[in-house]
Amino acid sequence: MKNILIIGSTGQIGSELTMKLRNTYTGNVVAGYIPSAAPQGELKESGPCEVVDITNAAQIAEVVDKYQIDTIYNLAALLSAVAETKPQLAWHIGIDGLCNVLEVSREKKCAVFTPSSIGSFGPDTPKVKTPQDTLQRPKTMYGVTKVAGELLSDYYFNRFGVDTRSVRFPGLISYVTPPGGGTTDYAVDIYYSAVKGEKFVCPIAAGTFMDMMYMPDALRASIEIMEADPTKLVHRNSFNIASMSFDPEIISKKIKEYIPQFEMEYQFDSLRQGIADSWPDSLDDTCAREEWGWKPEYDLDGMTRDMIEKLKIRFNK
Ligand code: AKB
């Protein structure tokens, strides 16, 4: 049995991960949320929900005590593009918030999962098959918080024995909750446009490759890393994980196999393009495969088939 708190449970990852954790574990799986993003529907009805603002350490500690929490999934963050417009807030949530989570976890002996990202790399990082251990000099505030978060999480493990673990997520694609303010969001939006029969205006240039992953694989990775045998973990914060890498032309061509009338045009967003250009094309996830058995299930074709099928049901198409 595990008692789990998810901070940021109503976001793109949290809304699905909370449901998966509730279906996986018998203990309390508490959906932590901020009042402006309260849980709705199944998420609200299927288990305990509590207001937990990551910037409020006392609030985190109170909920940890109330439900005897032993594991915290810390999913609170501003995504890359929005973080560039609010860098101080991105730091406050990403790092001051993480310090709160780590301190509460040190005191109350919780394990902690805090995702990192392909955004933790920068333009000086090897671009293709980016190694697990390499140069991380990101140019974005999002990346700065991710690298600092990785270091801080490793520090709390080495110095205080807090069981911190993490994966570097690629762009995540899902038909459930849309992302908000990321650089990889186009790879979600494109499916919505295609299924609705709309022309897609792509903000990212042809030839810009980024790693992407279908949400079911990302959810499984989040659980498997926390279940991994600690004696096998050489790394902790944070593991490269990968499943597919594509540019807008490749995903558009794949969608056309299922929706031949689909059309796309380009209108670059300079903020997002600049960020995308500074990120790797693809990651090498050998360490995750060797240390805890990571293996993706979905490739571009499997994901595209499932996304289109699910969105057609949602939009009655
Ligand atoms: C973003 O685009 O900001 C995120 C990420 C890759 O971390 N999806």
Side-chain angles (χ1 to χ4, degrees):
M1 198 179 86
K2 267 182 193 280
N3 291 323
I4 302 173
L5 167 63
I6 301 99
I7 300 178
S9 68
T10 59
Q12 190 205 11
I13 305 172
S15 57
E16 290 187 63
L17 183 61
T18 305
M19 293 309 302
K20 191 168 169 84
L21 291 167
R22 283 181 177 161
N23 292 329
T24 305
Y25 296 106
T26 52
N28 289 312
V29 176
V30 183
Y33 65 96
I34 50 169
S36 57
Q40 311 285 336
E42 207 188 3
L43 189 59
K44 184 176 169 192
E45 311 304 333
S46 60
C49 300
E50 295 281 349
V51 172
V52 181
D53 181 338
I54 195 163
T55 64
N56 184 336
Q59 210 169 54
I60 301 170
E62 208 175 292
V63 173
V64 166
D65 283 342
K66 181 170 169 187
Y67 294 94
Q68 297 175 337
I69 297 296
D70 50 59
T71 304
I72 299 178
Y73 278 86
N74 166 22
L75 305 179
L78 296 189
L79 290 183
S80 54
V82 80
E84 279 313 288
T85 66
K86 299 174 190 168
Q88 290 82 4
L89 182 62
W91 178 270
H92 190 43
I93 293 172
I95 296 302
D96 297 335
L98 175 60
C99 286
N100 290 338
V101 171
L102 291 171
E103 266 304 293
V104 170
S105 300
R106 176 170 75 87
E107 210 179 296
K108 299 181 186 294
K109 310 214 174 320
C110 301
V112 182
F113 174 85
T114 305
S116 185
S117 160
I118 54 172
S120 68
F121 298 110
D124 309 322
T125 303
K127 243 184 150 33
V128 177
K129 288 273 170 204
T130 301
Q132 169 68 39
D133 301 310
T134 186
L135 202 58
Q136 288 179 282
R137 304 285 292 175
K139 296 286 186 230
T140 62
M141 178 50 93
Y142 182 67
V144 169
T145 64
K146 289 302 179 192
V147 177
E150 290 186 10
L151 292 172
L152 209 51
S153 298
D154 270 346
Y155 177 78
Y156 266 72
F157 171 67
N158 291 317
R159 176 87 165 78
F160 302 120
V162 178
D163 185 2
T164 55
R165 306 181 189 193
S166 170
V167 295
R168 294 180 182 130
F169 279 135
L172 298 182
I173 296 166
S174 150
Y175 57 88
V176 179
T177 306
T183 303
T184 58
D185 293 11
Y186 92 88
V188 178
D189 300 340
I190 193 170
Y191 286 107
Y192 279 72
S193 294
V195 169
K196 288 179 176 168
E198 295 164 358
K199 183 188 245 188
F200 181 61
V201 181
C202 187
I204 298 291
T208 310
F209 281 77
M210 287 183 277
D211 254 355
M212 303 280 178
M213 184 174 287
Y214 199 29
M215 188 61 89
D217 275 335
L219 301 180
R220 206 167 38 75
S222 310
I223 294 176
E224 284 177 7
I225 178 66
M226 296 311 281
E227 289 290 348
D229 176 351
T231 64
K232 303 259 162 60
L233 298 182
V234 179
H235 298 85
R236 279 179 167 265
N237 302 281
S238 177
F239 280 96
N240 283 1
I241 56 169
S243 60
M244 61 188 97
S245 168
F246 54 74
D247 82 326
E249 287 296 308
I250 293 176
I251 185 172
S252 157
K253 206 165 146 224
K254 179 54 72 182
I255 289 173
K256 275 193 184 142
E257 287 176 21
Y258 293 89
I259 306 177
Q261 67 279 17
F262 173 62
E263 285 184 310
M264 178 171 86
E265 66 177 35
Y266 289 97
Q267 210 174 295
F268 310 138
D269 171 332
S270 56
L271 173 62
R272 284 183 169 79
Q273 187 62 46
I275 296 174
D277 287 340
S278 76
W279 287 358
D281 288 1
S282 61
L283 300 192
D284 177 350
D285 61 1
T286 308
C287 291
R289 288 173 185 261
E290 287 178 358
E291 292 175 39
W292 50 278
W294 158 249
K295 195 171 187 298
E297 280 173 7
Y298 286 88
D299 60 10
L300 178 59
D301 189 56
M303 174 177 81
T304 300
R305 207 174 328 116
D306 202 55
M307 276 295 281
I308 291 175
E309 193 183 300
K310 298 292 182 354
L311 287 175
K312 277 187 171 169
I313 296 169
R314 156 104 70 96
F315 296 115
N316 249 329
K317 294 284 180 184

